[in-house]
Amino acid sequence: MLKSTPKYVNLLIAALVLFSSSVFAQDTSDQDTSSTGGTLTFPDPSNYSLEVIFDPISGNYLVYKKIGDVLLPIPEVWTTDQYRQYMYDQAESDYFGSKSALLNASGDNPRDDAGLVPQLQTGNEALGKVFGSDLVEIRPQGMAEIRFGGRYQYVENPGIPVRNQKTFAFDFGQRIQMNVKGTIGDRLDLGINYDTEASFAFDNQMKLNFEGEEDDIVKRLEMGNINMPINSSLITGAQSLFGLKGQFQFGNTMVTTVFSEQR
């Protein structure tokens, strides 16, 4: 004969089931709220830093948190990969931080006027005395195109020997458009303009120009494509010259010399 379960036991079981259901519903509600809510991230204080110590026994890195001069006693343990990633992130942050500070300080982008080849400061005192400065800057611009291929030709002509009916030859081609501007110090300028498809030879220009100071005997030196204008109706000047031209001053006398060929 089975004994019936007491009534108060059934009531106790029902109460436990209801309590468990309410707790589960409360936990689910809390999880949903936390997943949809946002988080606030505050920057580290200025006196907060990390001190990393290498442990040769375990081969890991012990990372201590430091606030001011107080070192927290319990460190974090980093592997070699974690420490390498931390150093990479620090270097990247410092690099972009320095570039941002430079941009904010100048107000202009320092790369706007930069050429393909960066400025070079030689530190040579003799170069600075001759050209006014030891700063060398070269700005190349242009394009270069190289074509490479082959040409196969078959001519079915009974009057031509069989071995000469089939021909193969390589086909090469190039095109260069180049414009170079450069300076050495404050007195020497370089300009080159070259195009392989120029119609005339004088379209390709190359000029080296040196400017002297007010008290120098050498006032100007030009090398490359030059001209010699003459302010006279009896003798006409020459144009499209290639060579060397110099202007010198001896007291109140100006002397101009030209060594060149006409193109």
Side-chain angles (χ1 to χ4, degrees), residues 127-149:
L127 190 67
K129 291 180 180 179
V130 175
F131 299 106
S133 174
D134 60 347
L135 188 64
V136 179
E137 182 179 6
I138 298 177
R139 297 184 180 182
Q141 295 178 349
M143 55 86 67
E145 178 184 357
I146 299 177
R147 298 188 302 271
F148 173 78

Side-chain angles (χ1 to χ4, degrees), residues 230-237:
I230 297 177
N231 298 326
S232 175
S233 58
L234 299 177
I235 303 175
T236 59

Side-chain angles (χ1 to χ4, degrees), residues 1-105:
M1 181 177 180
L2 298 175
K3 295 182 179 180
S4 60
T5 304
K7 186 176 181 180
Y8 68 88
V9 175
N10 294 332
L11 293 176
L12 181 60
I13 294 174
L16 290 175
V17 172
L18 292 175
F19 179 76
S20 301
S21 299
S22 63
V23 171
F24 178 78
Q26 182 67 29
D27 292 340
T28 304
S29 176
D30 293 341
Q31 292 176 359
D32 293 340
T33 303
S34 62
S35 62
T36 56
T39 58
L40 294 177
T41 302
F42 295 96
D44 296 332
S46 58
N47 60 347
Y48 173 81
S49 61
L50 296 178
E51 184 172 342
V52 182
I53 300 176
F54 177 71
D55 185 8
I57 299 177
S58 62
N60 295 325
Y61 293 85
L62 304 180
V63 183
Y64 291 89
K65 296 180 180 179
K66 189 175 182 180
I67 300 178
D69 297 332
V70 179
L71 194 67
L72 300 184
I74 302 177
E76 295 183 11
V77 180
W78 285 0
T79 62
T80 304
D81 294 337
Q82 290 176 324
Y83 178 72
R84 187 182 296 112
Q85 183 64 35
Y86 169 76
M87 295 300 296
Y88 174 80
D89 294 340
Q90 285 292 110
E92 185 180 29
S93 177
D94 295 341
Y95 173 77
F96 286 107
S98 62
K99 294 299 181 182
S100 178
L102 180 62
L103 179 61
N104 295 333

Side-chain angles (χ1 to χ4, degrees), residues 110 113 173 250:
D113 297 331
F250 301 93

Side-chain angles (χ1 to χ4, degrees), residues 248-263:
F248 309 92
Q249 182 177 5
F250 301 93
N252 295 327
T253 304
M254 295 291 297
V255 178
T256 301
T257 59
V258 175
F259 299 93
S260 65
E261 63 176 1
Q262 189 169 10
R263 290 188 171 183

Side-chain angles (χ1 to χ4, degrees), residues 187 210-221 246-257:
R187 304 180 188 176
F210 174 80
E211 293 280 350
E213 293 186 349
E214 183 179 359
D215 297 333
D216 292 342
I217 296 177
V218 180
K219 291 300 182 182
R220 180 189 293 267
L221 288 177
Q247 293 182 355
F248 309 92
Q249 182 177 5
F250 301 93
N252 295 327
T253 304
M254 295 291 297
V255 178
T256 301
T257 59

Side-chain angles (χ1 to χ4, degrees), residues 152-201:
Y152 174 78
Q153 185 177 8
Y154 174 67
V155 179
E156 190 174 359
N157 187 353
I160 301 176
V162 177
R163 64 179 182 179
N164 294 335
Q165 292 179 3
K166 299 178 181 180
T167 59
F168 178 81
F170 290 103
D171 185 13
F172 297 95
Q174 66 177 2
R175 180 185 179 187
I176 300 176
Q177 290 181 345
M178 181 177 60
N179 184 16
V180 180
K181 294 182 179 180
T183 58
I184 300 178
D186 301 328
R187 304 180 188 176
L188 186 64
D189 296 330
L190 171 66
I192 299 176
N193 188 11
Y194 179 76
D195 189 356
T196 54
E197 296 186 355
S199 301
F200 303 97

